[in-house]
Amino acid sequence: MRDVTTQPARPEVVREDLDFDVLFVGAGPANLTALWRLLDLIEAHNARPGVKKLEGLTIGLIEKADEIGDHAFSGAVLDPKALEELCPAYRDLGFPSEGQVASEQVWLLTSERSGFRFPVLPPFLHNKGMPIVSLSRMVRWMAGQLEAREVPGVDVMLLPGFAGIQVLWEDGRVVGVQTADKGVNPDGTPRSNFEPGNNLRAKVTVFGEGPRGHLARELEAVLGLQASAPHPQAYEMGVKEIWEIPEGRVPEGFVFHSTGWPLASGEAGGSFIYRMSGNRLVVGYVVSLDTADPFIDAHRALQQFKTHPQVAPMLEGGKLVQYGGKALAIGGWHGMPRLAFAGGMLVGDSAQMVNAARLKGIHLGMKGGLCAAETLLEALAAEDFSEASLQRYSEAFLASWAGQELKRARNFHHTLAHGLTPLAGLKLGISLLAGGWVPGEPGHAREDAACTETTERFHGKAGLKPGDVNPGLKFDGQRLITKLDDVYLAGVMHDEHQPSHLKIVKGDEVCVACYATKGAPCTVFCPAQVYEMHPDDQGKVARVEIAFSNCVHCKTCDIKCPEGNVVWTPPEGGGGPKYTLC
Ligand code: SF4
């Protein structure tokens, strides 16, 4: 049987080969930083007297979104440490800051009406003075700076609208990626506008696809990059809405975090609220995907959260303007794969570079990009792209302040796997005093998908369906928004005449069996309501219906399908959400 997660070889098609010295896959902050710093380093190298100049180089960057920034999505309060290392004058270059954190609150919500504010913030949540950013806007700014850049001897190609669909291999080493074909019918046959994907060949390929990268999945299958990590990769799932609120409703620089309600006891996650420029407010919720609850739903948690008396007044009279969702790679130090291999590197969320305690990863991914660039320069100068050569990137990152920050936070996610229990609180206290150490570390962790229980084990009754335990919310279209109304504001576009990019790899019957025992969690956790179970003529649930055109590329189904039956693959380049404020 053909592997449905890769595209057909199509021997009748001639694929154009394009050659690069360095190819970056994904235009997130880690890869854009790596490219930016690499250009700086090449320029400095070539200015040095007596060295062999690096000339005639071709460096490419592909991005699956139609425009760089369209798929970038994060909170975010930015720790500017890596940005300052990359570009100390960033403020003078029109960096799109949404304001600076001026006041912070952390709450434990104990019920739908009550809660208390922590009198003292834990040190890892101190953000005062840091810039509040929209990652989408920040990434666009970085791409703009790179487009304006000219480095003699280097040809830089930024190529949005191109999705890497499979890794190119030669003798066990990575030699580039193949991009996705365009103009393909749902049955896989070419249409009249068919355009074959290209073979982008590179001496070294840097994979920065974000959380749960499709190509990173292939790298893992072939190279076993996770084998040396004590834990599997781990994820949270986050959704957020951006509201325009009446002037003066929330002070500039205001930041709010909470945990507790509406999550059930034993579940981990929490909220975030950031005041942005232009009287906009980000309101979001993340849930940990290692939960046993088959009906975990970050979107529902967000809708409930907005009704709490601490939150509802902030949104009164406001207007929802944008929505999005994304998985967060939260595994950190214990879940980090091998970062370098012959012909390639992993950076950013693809490498689990997120500090779970601070709920921040942009600065760590950017530091990864800075370290990768140093190694890339050495590799280009020595013409050595072996694993031993590229491994210097991994050593530099792990020894850097970013690696050490991840090391100190290494047990946070695992410790809070069942929420903020008294034991978890005690362990967190110990870890703060002991540089991150907790008794029994690293402990045992299971893949997020394997943690999902049947409804009988988790909710005490077999055969439950989502509505049985989560009665419907009263959506009013004003403050409480349905998933479908929300996803309309993600600006999602996919050509509906292409094959679904969400592949059911083990068959519909596996979904039907999952529906019987686990209530089909994908129909609940998906933030865009892509999955629905459908009955046959006798009214018996017989198949899963996939509205792939709504997909916001959050990757949660690939991570959390308890049967491992869904594989997310890149759709034709250019498809997906269009975030401008996220
Ligand atoms: Fe996320 Fe999967 Fe739903 Fe797409 S289909 S929005 S990747 S859960």
Side-chain angles (χ1 to χ4, degrees):
M1 192 170 68
R2 183 174 77 79
D3 176 3
V4 295
T5 67
T6 58
Q7 63 189 359
R10 302 188 197 280
E12 73 284 8
V13 164
V14 178
R15 296 188 185 279
E16 194 181 346
D17 278 6
L18 299 172
D19 291 322
F20 296 89
D21 293 280
V22 184
L23 177 66
F24 294 94
V25 179
N31 260 352
L32 291 171
T33 299
L35 173 53
W36 182 322
R37 175 49 63 91
L38 181 58
L39 296 178
D40 291 345
L41 292 172
I42 291 171
E43 220 168 15
H45 172 91
N46 286 348
R48 237 173 270 141
V51 296
K52 186 170 171 242
K53 305 262 182 277
L54 290 167
E55 288 170 332
L57 296 178
T58 304
I59 302 179
L61 180 146
I62 60 168
E63 161 59 38
K64 67 182 169 66
D66 197 28
E67 283 181 30
I68 290 177
D70 282 359
H71 294 183
F73 176 97
S74 181
V77 172
L78 175 73
D79 181 336
K81 206 167 173 178
L83 178 61
E84 281 163 1
E85 281 183 31
L86 174 69
C87 176
Y90 68 95
R91 288 186 195 85
D92 304 330
L93 294 174
F95 179 79
S97 170
E98 304 289 333
Q100 282 189 338
V101 178
S103 62
E104 303 173 81
Q105 299 184 6
V106 180
W107 285 70
L108 177 65
L109 302 185
T110 47
S111 77
E112 61 198 46
R113 301 215 58 79
S114 60
F116 61 85
R117 181 179 167 184
F118 287 99
V120 181
L121 289 185
F124 50 81
L125 285 180
H126 285 190
N127 294 309
K128 226 171 219 177
M130 292 186 189
I132 299 170
V133 299
S134 145
L135 187 63
S136 167
R137 293 187 65 207
M138 176 176 153
V139 157
R140 284 171 209 273
W141 173 80
M142 293 180 81
Q145 298 295 316
L146 287 167
E147 273 160 7
R149 187 87 188 263
E150 281 195 19
V151 176
V154 186
D155 190 12
V156 178
M157 299 163 77
L158 301 184
L159 301 167
F162 288 88
I165 191 81
Q166 59 198 67
V167 179
L168 297 174
W169 299 91
E170 256 173 42
D171 301 327
R173 58 174 286 123
V174 173
V175 293
V177 302
Q178 187 176 101
T179 58
D181 295 340
K182 296 180 179 178
V184 177
N185 285 312
D187 65 1
T189 55
R191 296 203 300 266
S192 55
N193 61 347
F194 178 74
E195 280 178 44
N198 298 318
N199 289 329
L200 309 184
R201 300 192 173 274
K203 293 173 181 164
V204 58
T205 307
V206 186
F207 296 87
E209 302 168 277
R212 192 67 156 202
H214 171 67
L215 301 175
R217 222 181 197 277
E218 183 181 343
L219 294 172
E220 169 59 19
V222 176
L223 299 173
L225 302 177
Q226 204 64 26
S228 54
H231 286 177
Q233 299 200 354
Y235 296 89
E236 293 180 341
M237 199 274 146
V239 290
K240 72 176 178 184
E241 294 175 345
I242 299 174
W243 287 70
E244 279 172 4
I245 54 169
E247 184 142 12
R249 177 64 54 78
V250 176
E252 287 183 17
F254 176 77
V255 169
F256 177 104
H257 286 279
S258 74
T259 189
W261 185 86
L263 293 180
S265 151
E267 288 184 347
S271 73
F272 56 93
I273 297 177
Y274 306 133
R275 167 73 152 76
M276 296 172 77
S277 62
N279 286 316
R280 286 192 286 261
L281 199 68
V282 175
V283 188
Y285 214 93
V286 296
V287 295
S288 182
L289 290 180
D290 57 1
T291 177
D293 185 356
F295 298 138
I296 192 73
D297 184 355
H299 179 271
R300 180 188 173 84
L302 174 60
Q303 302 312 309
Q304 289 176 287
F305 170 68
K306 288 187 295 178
T307 65
H308 196 278
Q310 283 304 325
V311 183
M314 297 188 214
L315 301 173
E316 201 61 52
K319 181 176 167 232
L320 177 62
V321 292
Q322 204 160 100
Y323 168 77
K326 192 154 194 170
L328 289 79
I330 208 86
W333 184 267
H334 284 323
M336 194 176 284
R338 184 151 52 91
L339 300 181
F341 37 88
M345 301 170 166
L346 281 175
V347 296
D349 280 5
S350 290
Q352 299 270 303
M353 291 177 181
V354 175
N355 180 335
R358 300 180 72 195
L359 209 64
K360 285 193 199 316
I362 300 171
H363 65 302
L364 302 175
M366 291 178 76
K367 182 63 183 176
L370 291 169
C371 294
E374 305 268 350
T375 297
L376 287 168
L377 180 85
E378 290 169 10
L380 287 167
E383 281 283 321
D384 181 358
F385 307 98
S386 64
E387 177 164 345
S389 162
L390 301 182
Q391 194 59 31
R392 284 198 287 273
Y393 149 59
S394 176
E395 290 156 13
F397 177 77
L398 296 176
S400 73
W401 56 259
Q404 294 310 299
E405 182 183 321
L406 280 173
K407 191 173 182 188
R408 283 192 300 278
R410 65 193 180 276
N411 289 306
F412 185 90
H413 173 71
H414 199 39
T415 301
L416 284 180
H418 302 293
L420 189 54
T421 61
L423 180 61
L426 178 67
K427 280 187 161 186
L428 281 185
I430 292 172
S431 78
L432 279 177
L433 296 171
W437 175 85
V438 297
E441 76 157 312
H444 173 69
R446 289 186 299 164
E447 298 257 1
D448 293 332
C451 296
T452 307
E453 291 287 6
T454 61
T455 64
E456 184 171 19
R457 285 181 69 119
F458 190 83
H459 289 290
K461 194 166 174 197
L464 286 175
K465 303 301 168 240
D468 297 332
V469 290
N470 288 329
L473 291 171
K474 289 204 175 97
F475 296 107
D476 55 13
Q478 300 296 316
R479 189 175 55 192
L480 294 198
I481 318 291
T482 64
K483 278 186 186 174
L484 287 181
D485 283 345
D486 253 338
V487 84
Y488 179 73
L489 294 172
V492 187
M493 293 281 284
H494 290 97
D495 179 350
E496 299 202 9
H497 298 103
Q498 63 182 303
S500 169
H501 63 281
L502 301 155
K503 311 294 185 190
I504 299 295
V505 291
K506 297 180 182 171
D508 270 16
E509 61 281 11
V510 175
C511 298
V512 174
C514 173
Y515 184 64
T517 58
K518 297 182 177 124
C522 61
T523 62
V524 183
F525 62 61
C526 171
Q529 208 174 315
V530 166
Y531 298 95
E532 282 185 4
M533 300 306 294
H534 271 247
D536 60 14
D537 294 345
Q538 281 81 46
K540 216 169 134 207
V541 167
R543 65 191 168 84
V544 60
E545 186 90 2
I546 302 177
F548 73 87
S549 54
N550 279 358
C551 174
V552 295
H553 298 196
C554 78
K555 319 277 184 72
T556 308
C557 49
D558 191 297
I559 297 162
K560 189 60 176 167
C561 169
E563 313 303 329
N565 198 17
V566 181
V567 174
W568 186 96
T569 64
E572 283 188 4
K578 191 157 190 77
Y579 300 137
T580 54
L581 300 168
C582 285

